[in-house]
Amino acid sequence: MALIVRSSAIHAAGCYTTAAVRKGERLAEYTGRRITKEEADVLYQDYPVTYLFGLGDGAIVIDGFCTAMFINHSCEGNCETAEEDGRVWITAIRDILAGDEVTYDYCLYDGGDDPCTCNCGSKLCRGSMYSDEELKRRRAEARKIGQRKKRGKRKALKTKSKSAK
């Protein structure tokens, strides 16, 4: 499949088809050297942009060096990724017209405090490139922290009012 990289309204550069693509067709393979997540964390500690793709449980990542690394995220992507025998394929989940930008849902699960804001502009945009599951996990964690802070404030107020007597 012939893809080209050019400017994208979603983010900087994106991948575009040069011919129509049928649903189920593979468009590209995500390739690059394989390194541990820990190596990637050290290597890209101060980099604002990375092209890492987690394999399996995420302990190993592909440090992208291919055309597929320019495929942008969309909450309503026209492709999906699938890992087969340690290889990652980008496959069309619907017909794509020649000249259309190729996108898939990144479903991010790691990123520290970075909100990973989404710019896809789709009607169903989550506002983040994190997966629904990761967003739920983060909201639950934020609620726990908020509850701990409220309890701490209540304890401090009780202690203050007792000492004032």
Side-chain angles (χ1 to χ4, degrees):
M1 174 52 52
L3 298 173
I4 59 170
V5 177
R6 65 174 196 217
S7 294
S8 167
I10 296 173
H11 180 261
C15 264
Y16 294 80
T17 63
T18 58
V21 178
R22 294 179 101 34
K23 178 181 176 177
E25 252 186 274
R26 285 183 175 168
L27 281 88
E29 180 181 0
Y30 202 98
T31 60
R33 67 188 177 134
R34 278 137 171 86
I35 58 177
T36 66
K37 181 190 173 308
E38 289 76 22
E39 287 176 284
D41 287 345
V42 170
L43 188 62
Y44 291 108
Q45 183 175 356
D46 297 320
Y47 283 72
V49 178
T50 62
Y51 298 99
L52 303 172
F53 197 107
L55 294 172
D57 64 2
I60 301 294
V61 297
I62 297 174
D63 188 2
F65 192 75
C66 56
T67 303
M69 70 188 215
F70 292 103
I71 298 176
N72 282 318
H73 162 85
S74 175
C75 295
E76 287 186 277
N78 51 20
C79 291
E80 65 184 4
T81 61
E83 185 179 338
E84 294 177 21
D85 301 321
R87 298 173 75 181
V88 175
W89 297 99
I90 293 92
T91 305
I93 56 174
R94 61 177 170 266
D95 291 344
I96 305 172
L97 299 174
D100 281 355
E101 184 168 5
V102 176
T103 59
Y104 63 87
D105 189 335
Y106 284 6
C107 293
L108 296 181
Y109 55 88
D110 185 22
D113 294 333
D114 185 349
C116 292
T117 305
C118 177
N119 299 306
C120 75
S122 77
K123 292 176 186 172
L124 299 176
C125 181
R126 293 187 300 272
S128 175
M129 291 183 278
Y130 287 115
S131 68
D132 285 328
E133 295 79 20
E134 179 64 11
L135 291 172
K136 286 176 191 171
R137 187 194 67 73
R138 286 171 179 250
R139 284 191 293 269
E141 184 64 29
R143 279 193 299 276
K144 284 181 190 176
I145 291 169
Q147 289 169 349
R148 281 189 224 132
K149 284 182 180 178
K150 282 183 185 179
R151 278 192 294 251
K153 284 181 184 179
R154 283 194 293 253
K155 279 184 179 180
L157 287 174
K158 282 182 183 180
T159 305
K160 235 184 191 180
S161 64
K162 283 182 183 179
S163 62
K165 290 183 181 180

